Structure formats: C-alpha cells, structure tokens
Amino acid sequence: MTVAIEKPEKTGSVEKRAAPAKPERKVNRSMVVAAVFVVWLVLFVVLRGRQTLALAAADLTDLHRWFNDVNDSIGANRNSNPLFLYFFNEIRLVIDNLVTFVQGLISQPTGDRPVPQIGWLGVVGIVGYVSWAVGNWRVALLAVAGFTFLGLQGLWQESMDTLALTASAVVMALLFAIPLGVWAGLSDRFNAIVTPFLDLMQTMPTFVYLAPLTLFFQIGPASATACTLIYAAPPTIRITAHAIRSVPQTTVEAADSLGATRRQSLLKVLLPMSKRTVVMGVNQTIMAALAMVTIAALIDAPGLGKTVVQALQSLDVGTAFNAGLAIVVLAIVLDRVTTAASARAEAARDSGSRFLAWRRPLLGAGAAVTAVLIYMSHTYVWAAEFPGEGSVGSNIASAAGDATTWAQDNLSGITNAFRDALTNGLLNPFQTLLTDSPWWLVGAALVALGIVLGGRTAGLTTAVCVGLLVGTGLWSDSMTTLASTVVATVLVMVLGIGFGVWMGRSALVDRVLRPTLDAAQVMPPFVYLVPFLALFGATRFTAIVAAVVYAAPVAMKIVADGVRNVPATTVEAATAAGCNTWQIITKVQLPMARSALTLATNQGLIYVLSMVVVGGLVGAGALGYDVVAGFSQGQLYGKGLAAGLAIVLLGVMFDRITQAAARRAGA
C-alpha cells in the first residue's frame, strides 16, 4: 500500500491562509512635516506678497477703534456706572490702601514724617530675624547682606517699593490661592474645572495681563498689584492641590477610622503633611510676583522696574545694570528664604544639633533685639535713612557703562558678525516666509502641522487661533513675533539638547551646572535684556538672544532628567552590542527621551514667547512694540489690547500643539 504525498501547491495554499495579516504601516510624521513645508515653499514662490494683511504702525482697524471707544467710555463713566462704582472701584480702593500702608511702613514718607515708619535698620533687622526663624543662620546672614547691599547701591527706596508691591500682591494672592488649591486637591470635579484656567494663566506672558487690568483699575500701583496677584496665584493653587493629592490614602483612611471629621482630617492630617510642598508653592508665587512687579513698571508701578524701564528706553546700560543687579539680589534672598523654610523642619530633625534645645529662647532674644532695631529706625534719622550716597551703585553703573563702551568698541566685529549671520541666514528668510505668504496659506500650513504633530484636537485649536489672529488685525506683526519665537526656540533646543545630554550622562556636570541653572530661573525677565543690550544694541536680535538665555535653563534641566531616566540596562545592552558614545546618544537615549524633548520644547516656546515680547522695549518690534505703544500713546491703546490678545493666541497655539505632541511621544 502506497501513501500519497501531498503536493507542494496544496501545502503552500494552507501556509498562505495561515499567514498573519500585515501590520498597518505607520505614518512617518517627519516626512509629512517635510511635505507640508515643500508645498508651502512652492506656493510661496507663486503667491508671494499677496493677501498678507499688512498693517502700518499708525493704522487702526475697526476692532482697535472699538477698544479705544470702550476705554474712553469706561473712563467717562467710571464714577457713575454701578459696576465700577460698587465693585471695581472698591477693589481698587482696597488694593490702594493696602499698598499705601505697606509703602508707608518701609518705603515712603507718611503724614508729617519725612521717612517711613520703619527705616532701613529696622527692615534689615526684621528680614534677618524672619530668615533665621523660618530658615537658618546662613540664610539670615545672606538676607542681611543682600538687603544691606541694596542700600549701598543707592536703591534702598526703589527696592523697598518693589518689596512692598510684591508683599502686598503675595499676601492677597495667598488668601484665595491656598483655599482654592485645597479645594482642588479635595474635589476631582473642581480640579477638572480649574486646571484649564490655570494652564491658560501660566501660558500667558506677563505683558498680556497689563492692558486689560488697566481698563478696570487705571494705570498705577493698584493695577500693578492686581496684575501681579492674578499672575502669581496659579503656582500656589496648582502645587497646593498636588500636595493634598499626594498625601498617602492610607493615612487619610486611618484618620477617618479614628473618627476624625472632614475638617479635622484637613487641619490635622492633610495640611501638616503637605506643608513643605505648599511652602514650595509659596516660593514660586513670590518669584512670579517679583517678576511681574518689575514688568508692571510699564503701567507706573514704582520700584526697581521703573528704574530699569527708564534706563532701557534711554539706552543707559550702566543704570539698568545696577537696578537689574538689585532685582537679582532681591530675588535670590526671597528665593533662599522661602526654600529654606520648606526644608527647615526636616533639616532640624535630621541634624541632632545641641542648639535645637536653645532655639526657642534664642528666638525670643532675637525678637527683642529686632524690636529695639525697629524702635531705633522709627526714632532716629540715621537709622531710618540709609547712610551714604550710594557710591557702590555709582561705581557699578560706571563700571557697567565702561564695559559696554569697551565691548562695543572691541567686540563689535564679532558680535555684529554673529548677529548678521543669524539674522540674514535664518531669521530674515523665515520671517519673510511667514509675513510675505498669503495669510490663508500660512494658516493652512499651521493647521496641518498642528494635526500632524498634535492630532485633530490640536489642529482644531490651531484653526481657531489662526482665525482669531486674523480678527485682531495684527496678522503681520503676529507672524513677525512667531518668526522670532520659533528661531529662538530652535536655538534653545540646540543648547538644551547639548548641555542636557551632557548633564544627563555625567553626575559631576549636573552637580556643577544645576545650581547655576536654578539661579538663572530665579532672575526676572527684565534682567536678561541689559547685558545683551550692551553687546548688540537695541535690535530685535537683542530680544532673541536674551530669550534664548532666559529659556535655555529650563530646557536643559528637562532634557537632562529625560536622558537620566533612560534605563541603565538599556544603555549597557547598547554598549555591549558595540555602540559608541555617539550611537548610544542618538540611537538610544534621545529616542527614549522623546517625551522629555517635546516637553522641553513646550516650555522653551512659552518662555521664549514671554521674553521676545518683553524685547519690545529694546527694539524687538512686532507685538511687543504694539503693547508698549498702547500704554504710552492713548490713540494706540486699542491696538495694544489687540496685541495682547494676539500674544495669548500664539501662546495657546504653541502650548496645545507641543503638549499634545508630548503626550503622543510618551504614549
């Protein structure tokens, strides 16, 4: 009996039926992005100069005129309209009274007194004592030295005005920020409602807050304080909510099982265990308030910011540098004190120092000494008015002026070559592409990029933002600002990836660079303009370079953390497979840190947009100039308000696309 052998054709057919389906082919986003740019460039060559929606500097649209009419109407009816008479005017009165009270305490003469109620000696004593009480003696020494240096600079009153506005805004912000943060931490529904508003508020550059609030509170300290407290509140709300949610659920359940009420659980468990994180939120609020108070000099806020603005407008680099240094000193002191306060309890428990038993008596003695210093500063002129004529500040300003002159005389060849190469090689071509293309072509390209990079929702958001940008009447200026922002962000990411990878791969480099990056993030945006104004003059390039330096630290830190979080086993496997350092970085670590890179781009864009707009003070033009001109020229107020709206729309568009891209990268 013979056995028939199956023919290969039949076996082959069985194999064909059993073969698995081919996987769907993924879309290569890089290729699609490249295709969008190619189509854009081709159409640009054909349609260049058509339908660009250009608007001259002195021209206004119907929207701008309507804003002007609204402003005039509010001004004419401010004291008769019930909404203003019984709401906005009352709020303004409360804020004015608080600011005037604090200024009368530490910075401005009050009544018949030619000096404040508490003079420099009392303020230094209070600052030293509070720093010691909430931190440690090292922080107290830093605070005393820092405030004394402010007086030696000849900027005592300006510094105290800045401190008064900052303190007033922070106190009022915390009065509602901490309760809202607790509520968001306890309620999922409220957290879901408030989070989009916090995202929007933290996306908006500082400039944007100024114009709308002057509409309701007029130009002056009240508007400056209102802007500051609104801008500074979101960090505390967000961080407090995070702190409440981070308390272990088992701890809360244990308190509930012991019969604790909801109020007792909050006051005895949740808040005490969240204290350190909440204080970190207060730290961020103080830093945001200080940055905003300096910017608010544009709406007549007193203090160091006004000195910097006036010096920048007159191109007096020496005076601007001296005042900018005072802002940095004040920021460092406030940051160190609040940071030390968040860590003091844990440090005290771990130290085991024999002085801990004496802490309470020593604090009592310190309070008595501080009270004596306050009395002396209230009673004696020598303890009220800072002695000397600020010769240290004069010397600093003179040295900065000399350094500026030397740099312009000896480095102009290098700086001008660098400026011209970047401007002519990258900025001008990209700006021309954006401003000389038809508006609908740019809009279509942006929407396409939003869909490719962030998905349909990001694309829809981009389409809405593009439509509203056209409606502001400032399309051309928006595209100029967009060009500067994108170019600066590219440079930020070059630095961020270069130094971030270095930090992520080397613990030593990270330890060396991170303190400098932390200190750089403390400084308000104004401060960055001064040295680059000396090097490059009043041009848009100055604003771009300042924006790069301002935004690079956050990008470096995010990239470094992303590279460091790549599993060591993966890197070891690549090394064992024979990969060299370059291959490990480009083929393993950067691809696996893709979500961190996208997040760094998101944060870099937001920081850059904020700084590029501030650069309107030093010749950056575009939307930043429109906002500044709106404050200084009444007929351009409506245009400045529209420019603020355009900045918000750019920020929202950037934020939505990059956040969606980050989520895709991490998926």
Side-chain angles (χ1 to χ4, degrees), residues 124-136:
V124 170
I126 293 172
V127 167
Y129 177 72
V130 171
S131 302
W132 178 38
V134 303
N136 53 60

Side-chain angles (χ1 to χ4, degrees), residues 56-80:
D59 290 346
L60 302 177
T61 67
D62 291 340
L63 177 66
H64 305 159
R65 295 188 186 91
W66 183 78
F67 281 149
N68 283 338
D69 292 342
V70 170
N71 184 40
D72 294 340
S73 176
I74 289 176
N77 299 287
R78 188 177 299 276
N79 295 321
S80 58

Side-chain angles (χ1 to χ4, degrees), residues 190-538:
F190 181 71
N191 186 61
I193 293 172
V194 78
T195 296
F197 291 98
L198 298 179
D199 290 341
L200 178 62
M201 292 172 71
Q202 292 191 287
T203 300
M204 291 164 55
T206 50
F207 258 31
V208 175
Y209 289 84
L210 302 181
L213 287 173
T214 58
L215 193 65
F216 299 107
F217 299 108
Q218 298 181 301
I219 289 177
S223 287
T225 307
C227 291
T228 302
L229 71 91
I230 293 173
Y231 178 73
T236 291
I237 298 174
R238 192 185 294 274
I239 293 175
T240 300
H242 170 72
I244 296 294
R245 290 175 176 274
S246 298
V247 174
Q249 189 62 31
T250 53
T251 306
V252 179
E253 292 172 354
D256 292 341
S257 66
L258 293 174
T261 63
R262 188 176 179 85
R263 178 185 179 87
Q264 290 172 329
S265 179
L266 174 64
L267 297 179
K268 302 294 185 182
V269 179
L270 292 173
L271 286 179
M273 294 189 69
S274 306
K275 181 172 65 175
R276 178 173 182 176
T277 306
V278 171
V279 174
M280 289 174 58
V282 174
N283 167 273
Q284 293 301 301
T285 288
I286 292 173
M287 293 298 99
L290 181 59
M292 189 64 184
V293 162
T294 56
I295 296 289
L298 291 170
I299 55 173
D300 203 31
L304 294 168
K306 179 175 286 189
T307 304
V308 174
V309 169
Q310 292 172 346
L312 289 176
Q313 290 174 338
S314 61
L315 301 183
D316 184 355
V317 177
T319 301
F321 181 84
N322 187 45
L325 181 60
I327 294 172
V328 172
V329 170
L330 193 58
I332 290 174
V333 170
L334 295 177
D335 178 62
R336 290 300 92 194
V337 170
T338 50
T339 301
S342 67
R344 190 192 66 79
E346 288 78 2
R349 283 196 297 267
D350 296 340
S351 65
S353 173
R354 65 179 183 274
F355 292 107
L356 291 178
W358 293 90
R359 179 173 175 81
R360 187 167 295 177
L362 289 174
L363 287 175
V369 172
T370 303
V372 171
L373 296 178
I374 293 173
Y375 171 77
M376 293 173 65
S377 71
H378 181 78
T379 307
Y380 301 104
V381 174
W382 64 267
E385 294 182 343
F386 200 93
E389 299 180 355
S391 58
V392 172
S394 299
N395 293 334
I396 291 173
S398 178
D402 293 341
T404 299
T405 302
W406 180 89
Q408 292 173 346
D409 291 342
N410 296 277
L411 301 179
S412 58
I414 299 174
T415 56
N416 290 346
F418 177 57
R419 180 191 63 197
D420 294 343
L422 188 60
T423 301
N424 297 326
L426 184 59
L427 179 58
N428 284 348
F430 187 52
Q431 181 173 313
T432 299
L433 177 65
L434 287 169
T435 56
D436 287 4
S437 294
W439 70 268
W440 53 265
L441 176 59
V442 179
L446 291 175
V447 172
L449 292 173
I451 294 173
V452 173
L453 298 175
R456 293 180 181 176
T457 303
L460 178 60
T461 302
T462 303
V464 172
C465 290
V466 166
L468 293 175
L469 282 172
V470 173
T472 63
L474 296 171
W475 177 262
S476 183
D477 283 353
S478 299
M479 293 303 99
T480 301
T481 297
L482 175 60
S484 299
T485 303
V486 172
V487 168
T489 304
V490 170
L491 298 177
V492 166
M493 291 310 299
V494 170
L495 292 175
I497 292 174
F499 284 92
V501 169
W502 193 15
M503 292 170 63
R505 289 176 55 83
S506 171
L508 176 62
V509 173
D510 188 85
R511 284 196 301 270
V512 171
L513 292 183
R514 193 168 286 266
T516 303
L517 300 180
D518 291 340
Q521 286 189 270
V522 169
M523 294 191 295
F526 260 17
V527 177
Y528 288 87
L529 290 176
V530 178
F532 298 109
L533 178 63
L535 286 175
F536 301 107

Side-chain angles (χ1 to χ4, degrees), residues 17-186:
R17 286 196 300 270
K22 291 183 179 180
E24 290 186 10
R25 199 174 173 184
K26 290 187 177 180
V27 177
N28 189 322
R29 292 197 185 98
S30 300
M31 295 296 293
V32 176
V33 169
V36 170
F37 274 103
V38 168
V39 173
W40 184 2
L41 288 171
V42 171
L43 292 177
F44 167 75
V45 172
V46 177
L47 302 172
R48 180 174 183 175
R50 302 178 188 176
Q51 299 175 316
T52 58
L53 302 183
L55 186 71
D59 290 346
L60 302 177
T61 67
D62 291 340
L63 177 66
H64 305 159
R65 295 188 186 91
W66 183 78
F67 281 149
N68 283 338
D69 292 342
V70 170
N71 184 40
D72 294 340
S73 176
I74 289 176
N77 299 287
R78 188 177 299 276
N79 295 321
S80 58
N81 187 297
L83 182 62
F84 282 87
L85 194 60
Y86 300 109
F87 184 69
F88 290 115
N89 287 357
E90 292 299 319
I91 294 176
R92 184 175 184 273
L93 182 63
V94 170
I95 295 175
D96 261 341
N97 287 338
L98 176 60
V99 173
T100 302
F101 172 74
V102 179
Q103 284 182 306
L105 280 181
I106 63 174
S107 66
Q108 296 288 342
T110 55
D112 297 332
R113 289 177 59 85
V115 293
Q117 296 291 333
I118 303 176
W120 74 271
L121 190 62
V123 172
V124 170
I126 293 172
V127 167
Y129 177 72
V130 171
S131 302
W132 178 38
V134 303
N136 53 60
W137 64 269
R138 296 182 185 86
V139 174
L141 286 179
L142 172 66
V144 169
F147 271 66
T148 303
F149 182 71
L150 296 175
L152 295 175
Q153 288 181 276
L155 296 171
W156 179 261
Q157 181 171 325
E158 292 87 343
S159 300
M160 292 305 100
D161 278 330
T162 297
L163 181 63
L165 262 66
T166 302
S168 301
V170 168
V171 168
M172 287 187 286
L174 295 181
L175 285 177
F176 69 86
I178 290 179
L180 288 177
V182 171
W183 188 7
L186 296 174

Side-chain angles (χ1 to χ4, degrees), residues 549-610:
V549 177
Y550 176 61
V554 66
M556 292 177 190
K557 290 163 67 174
I558 293 173
V559 173
D561 292 341
V563 170
R564 190 179 300 107
N565 290 334
V566 173
T569 52
T570 305
V571 177
E572 291 169 359
T575 304
C579 294
N580 57 33
T581 301
W582 176 253
Q583 291 171 327
I584 291 173
I585 293 172
T586 57
K587 303 297 184 183
V588 178
Q589 291 177 314
L590 287 179
M592 295 190 70
R594 188 168 59 249
S595 60
L597 295 177
T598 313
L599 178 60
T601 304
N602 169 271
Q603 293 300 296
L605 273 168
I606 300 305
Y607 274 66
V608 163
L609 179 61
S610 175

